[in-house]
Amino acid sequence: MQIRVIGVPMDLGADRRGVDIGVSAIRYAGLHEKLRALGHSVKDIGNLHVPLPENQPAGDPHVKYLEPIIQVAEELAAAVSEALQAGDLPLVLGGDHSIALGSITGVSSFYGDIGVIWIDAHGDFNTPETTPSGNIHGMVLAALAGLGHERLVRLAGRVPKVNPQNIAIVGVRDLDPGERELLRANRIHVFTMTDIDRRGISAIMEEAIAVAGHNGRRIHLSLDLDALDPSEAPGVGTPVRGGLSYREAHLSMELLAACGQICSIDVVEVNPILDRENATASLAVGLVLSALGKTIL
């Protein structure tokens, strides 16, 4: 398989700085060499230009840095569509989770009806009316489902980018009150850490794949490293205790690889400033390899 790596050093969608250098940390952890050792071809187109927060006005406090985030999302959507047109699998490296607005818009523009598996400690399903922070990384999935600020929702003209019924969120353990109500009202399939504890990660992932990939639908994987427990992934943008274990995360990726429906991936929220010896970026590389076919035997 030809993998096209696209770096998006986005640090505008969240308050805590440092995830912009996560892109370099993931590459430094041996991404390209390990993908090639697995039998894939790799084409890295480098990083999209992302303005620094210091050089931008935050703007509306309910949707901070809206204009530059939209600009980057438009460029990323075009880059992802171009990769798919060439027959490549786009692997988008973040950056904060607001980059998924661009990556999923590009996939949706190319394939039409897609599913999304969103592996994250958070729902990212706020709107300007429900957000406690104004950070767009916490609104991006709602926007993709057609809810929220008009500029985010109408990016590239397709509304919604993803049918809410085709979304499965896995690993959630930290939701805002208004976000919780929106998830319920829109009947989003949410699999919390309590669900995983009760039923096991294998059953949860099989159901998530059935939701997102019904009738052979193509699936976009959006992997936020804060889905893992901070003991496994200390260097993340918004750590929350009680997350996925190392084996649960790898089994999730192995099941996704086995389904054969993954068409694109983004990996986000690696923060080297908070990391130890690049452990979180190395873990991110290992999980990507599992999602792209690496097994024990």
Side-chain angles (χ1 to χ4, degrees), residues 240-254:
V240 184
R241 292 176 62 188
L244 296 173
S245 70
Y246 178 90
R247 269 312 314 158
E248 286 173 331
H250 272 284
L251 179 56
S252 298
M253 298 300 104
E254 290 162 8

Side-chain angles (χ1 to χ4, degrees), residues 97 100 116-127 130 135-145 147 167-184 188-192 222 224 226-227 238 240:
H97 219 156
V116 170
I117 293 183
W118 193 271
I119 300 182
D120 199 328
H122 309 90
D124 295 345
F125 214 80
N126 275 299
T127 66
T130 66
N135 293 329
I136 288 177
H137 78 154
M139 308 180 202
V140 63
L141 188 55
L144 290 161
L147 303 171
I167 297 170
I169 309 175
V170 177
V172 168
R173 55 195 185 277
D174 186 15
L175 295 173
D176 298 313
E179 180 182 32
R180 187 179 293 114
E181 294 306 313
L182 282 174
L183 288 165
R184 288 174 178 160
I188 305 296
H189 296 85
V190 180
F191 302 97
T192 67
S222 194
D224 188 324
D226 73 19
T238 316
V240 184

Side-chain angles (χ1 to χ4, degrees), residues 198-261:
R198 287 176 172 170
R199 297 174 51 197
I201 192 62
S202 180
I204 293 297
M205 286 306 300
E206 287 171 359
E207 187 172 342
I209 290 167
V211 166
H214 182 64
N215 285 337
R217 186 186 295 121
R218 299 281 186 166
I219 298 173
H220 174 88
L221 167 63
S222 194
L223 174 61
D224 188 324
L225 267 290
D226 73 19
L228 281 88
D229 192 81
S231 63
E232 306 283 3
V236 297
T238 316
V240 184
R241 292 176 62 188
L244 296 173
S245 70
Y246 178 90
R247 269 312 314 158
E248 286 173 331
H250 272 284
L251 179 56
S252 298
M253 298 300 104
E254 290 162 8
L255 291 170
L256 286 166
C259 83
Q261 293 168 252

Side-chain angles (χ1 to χ4, degrees), residues 20-126:
D20 56 333
I21 55 177
V23 178
S24 296
I26 294 170
R27 288 191 177 107
Y28 181 75
L31 176 67
H32 300 65
E33 297 83 357
K34 292 173 182 177
L35 283 171
R36 292 187 179 108
L38 198 57
H40 298 299
S41 300
V42 180
K43 177 181 181 181
D44 192 329
I45 68 167
N47 293 347
L48 301 188
H49 172 70
V50 180
L52 292 173
E54 291 84 356
N55 298 332
Q56 300 291 316
D60 187 337
H62 299 291
V63 275
K64 297 175 185 173
Y65 300 107
L66 175 65
E67 294 303 326
I69 287 174
I70 286 174
Q71 179 184 341
V72 174
E74 289 172 342
E75 293 177 12
L76 178 56
V80 166
S81 292
E82 182 180 326
L84 292 169
Q85 288 165 11
D88 298 347
L89 183 144
L91 172 57
V92 183
L93 310 179
D96 70 61
H97 219 156
S98 66
I99 70 166
L101 180 66
S103 56
I104 293 176
T105 294
V107 178
S108 174
S109 298
F110 184 79
Y111 282 115
D113 185 35
I114 62 167
V116 170
I117 293 183
W118 193 271
I119 300 182
D120 199 328
H122 309 90
D124 295 345
F125 214 80
N126 275 299

